[in-house]
Amino acid sequence: MAAPLRGGDLSRLRQLNALAAVGTLRSAGPLTLSALAERTGLSRPSTKEVVDELMRLGWVEETPPAQGTIGRPARRYRFRATSGHLVGLDIGGHNIRAALSDLNGEILAETRQPVQPDTPLDERLAAIERTVASCLALAGKTIDDVWIVAAGTIGVVTPEGRIRYCAAIPAWTGLDLAGHLRGMFPCEVLVENDSRLAAKSEAVRGAVRDASDVVFLHVGRRMGAAVIIGGKVHRGFGAAAGEIAMLPQAQLFDASEHLQNCPVIPEDTSPADAAGYTLAAARAGDPVALAAVERYVDDLAVGTSAMVLLLDPQVVVLGGGFSRSADVLLPRLRERLERACIRPPELRASTLGDECVVTGAIDYAVAHIDDRHFTPDVPLPTSR
Amino acid sequence: MAAPLRGGDLSRLRQLNALAAVGTLRSAGPLTLSALAERTGLSRPSTKEVVDELMRLGWVEETPPAQGTIGRPARRYRFRATSGHLVGLDIGGHNIRAALSDLNGEILAETRQPVQPDTPLDERLAAIERTVASCLALAGKTIDDVWIVAAGTIGVVTPEGRIRYCAAIPAWTGLDLAGHLRGMFPCEVLVENDSRLAAKSEAVRGAVRDASDVVFLHVGRRMGAAVIIGGKVHRGFGAAAGEIAMLPQAQLFDASEHLQNCPVIPEDTSPADAAGYTLAAARAGDPVALAAVERYVDDLAVGTSAMVLLLDPQVVVLGGGFSRSADVLLPRLRERLERACIRPPELRASTLGDECVVTGAIDYAVAHIDDRHFTPDVPLPTSR
């Protein structure tokens, strides 16, 4: 782990110069000293001094010279993304997932452990700790290598990381989740709603990297939603946005029952596989399964149309577990939105599937680092 | 009318300095030369030169000295808001309203003319022209004094100012409204959805000057909605946001029928006064009118809850014609939102009433001027 950049060992001015250099290398990629000097506004000698110091502290590294270069190429420097690590957590009703990444959000290891919605609280918390520990072990790291644990969970999460309300996990409502996680992990802890994290990940590395007004449908056994407006995931005044499924008339909350309880599902099928069975049978042309899918999409289209008519997004993304069956669902949803909406949006399938929340938690932590750690909080002085 | 500031009579640098000075005086109010120099980064002599030129061109004026000042106070200068004028238009199904303002949005005159939803297109356009002409005459101005005509209209308006769809005015769908208005008025023409303009006005001069996440309910015989997110009125990717009333399950479109067709309304009441009669009777305690109000609010609460659950706004504003009866409507709406929503928002009544669209059109034009005319489009050079 690199030495902390905000420690008292650098003067304020040198610290700001170092932050400017790290921030620039982080966003602009490998640069020569001259290019870095130009972008930061620092003199060439100051830039050299700052880069030497950052290399000594472990924040910056030299890139290997490009293949086939003739003569002696100028040295190029880049942010050392393994200066620290991030853990992303997805705490759902039926699964706990963890991922470990470097500071650029590159995933180094992933683990998953099934739970049940009614798993007792202490067992669920223990499962979280185990899932993270095995993820760290898988990558040969320890919790001391980790800067941030960012957790996404189903339910309405307050800005302080408490669970205001959770229909999916009975033991969750009222829980100080951030507090419990801070007790578990000796690093910074962030907690966010899972659908919002998934939407962020679609914007950062998924299906809507090119769009800034998006409705994200988090479809699975539980239904969630999130909206991106002007390129930002919308949290709401009390961090409670996205809960349209709570309105019975939106027909979203119980929509998945059509798929979960379809008569085509063999009796011994686990609930975790039931909807998938119906969707596969529909894909194969089973008329009973197809009828169930039509009813499911009828319901899904009501709440989705409400969001589309209200916000007029560029794209609606179908994400979450059921997005694996986007080939079955999207054409049917498109047909209904074209009937109900004035300007039907483009529809896309998630490219992240079940991983969307855990990668979203990582992407949220990366953004947090950029905001808090690599942005000087006063204007950058230029030393000439 | 002041001479145009973008004419070729000023060099580029002098033009930029002039724009910086005008922009600063416009946003910061009356300033001394020293204060203006400090805020623009111009030298004191350059500031004097720019201000003299702007006074000669009619853009800046000296403010009268404050009462009771002892000695010779420093001269203070302000933007001359009457350098140009703006027209706001509200084109609804039942009324056409016009307002004339100065460049600060201060209203100088207002006119209104009733029409009918089925008024033929040419008569409606003629009524628009008459309403604007009488508004100008009332203030002793001509169309040559006007920089911008900004029109708000019911219906879905494209970014180019065409009416994509309008349920309320049959002749409106497909109309190139901006084109027709440009044929009528020899100045810049802007066209926007009426509910979005009303929401803007609530943010600029109305009930939510302090809030940046707002749902605006435009309640009257027709129901509209607009959302403010992060301080900006949300237009949507194709400028079609706010149309949740088009979704039958949102129960908004026909909600006003409960008030329009209540049995308590005397037979000879004009449709324009029917809902107002029911609301007044409910306020007086008439049980039949009260039952109609309850049914109306039941419907209104469904679509409103969908918006609140999705966006978690700080405030919901009840605006438009029915907002005069906010005392009857708001407590009932509050009760339902508290039942249906996870984090019920604050509810407020509009302070603009029937004028909200026309003042919103003015406020939209003022913002347009700030964006387009008083903001240099390249970084300001500092001359020392």
Side-chain angles (χ1 to χ4, degrees), chain A residues 156 164 213 229 234 236-244 246-247 249 302 305-307 309-312 314 342-343, chain B residues 156 164 213 229 234 236-244 246-247 249 302 305-307 309-312 314 342-343:
Chain A
V156 182
R164 190 193 288 271
D213 286 283
I229 293 173
H234 180 68
F237 187 70
E243 298 295 332
I244 189 171
M246 299 294 296
L247 186 74
Q249 290 91 340
V302 173
S305 296
M307 294 188 260
L309 283 163
L310 180 61
L311 297 174
D312 183 24
Q314 180 182 356
I342 289 165
R343 205 199 61 77
Chain B
V156 182
R164 190 193 288 271
D213 287 281
I229 293 173
H234 180 67
F237 186 71
E243 298 295 332
I244 189 171
M246 300 293 297
L247 185 75
Q249 290 90 341
V302 173
S305 296
M307 294 188 262
L309 283 163
L310 180 61
L311 297 174
D312 183 25
Q314 179 182 357
I342 289 165
R343 204 199 61 78

Side-chain angles (χ1 to χ4, degrees), chain B residues 219-221 256 259-260 275 279 296 318-326 329:
Chain B
V219 291
R221 278 196 273 174
S256 69
L259 304 178
Q260 288 290 129
L279 287 160
Y296 171 68
L318 192 79
F322 292 179
S323 69
R324 259 176 269 125
S325 302
L329 297 174

Side-chain angles (χ1 to χ4, degrees), chain B residues 290-309:
Chain B
L290 279 167
V293 165
E294 297 290 346
R295 284 194 301 273
Y296 171 68
V297 180
D298 278 341
D299 283 353
L300 183 63
V302 173
T304 305
S305 296
M307 294 188 262
V308 166
L309 283 163

Side-chain angles (χ1 to χ4, degrees), chain B residues 16-94:
Chain B
L16 287 172
N17 289 346
L19 282 171
V22 168
T24 305
L25 290 175
R26 200 163 147 73
S27 61
L31 293 174
T32 62
L33 278 185
S34 311
L36 181 59
E38 193 180 309
R39 287 180 187 238
T40 55
L42 298 173
S43 70
R44 171 75 200 232
S46 297
T47 305
K48 174 88 172 66
E49 208 175 291
V50 163
V51 166
D52 286 346
E53 185 146 41
L54 287 169
M55 286 183 65
R56 188 176 59 73
L57 292 169
W59 285 92
V60 162
E61 61 192 5
E62 210 179 314
T63 58
Q67 291 290 327
T69 319
I70 293 168
R72 205 189 60 177
R75 289 179 181 180
R76 301 196 323 146
Y77 300 88
R78 69 181 172 201
F79 175 68
R80 199 169 74 93
T82 52
S83 304
H85 292 81
L86 307 169
V87 167
L89 261 172
D90 171 8
I91 312 173
H94 300 94

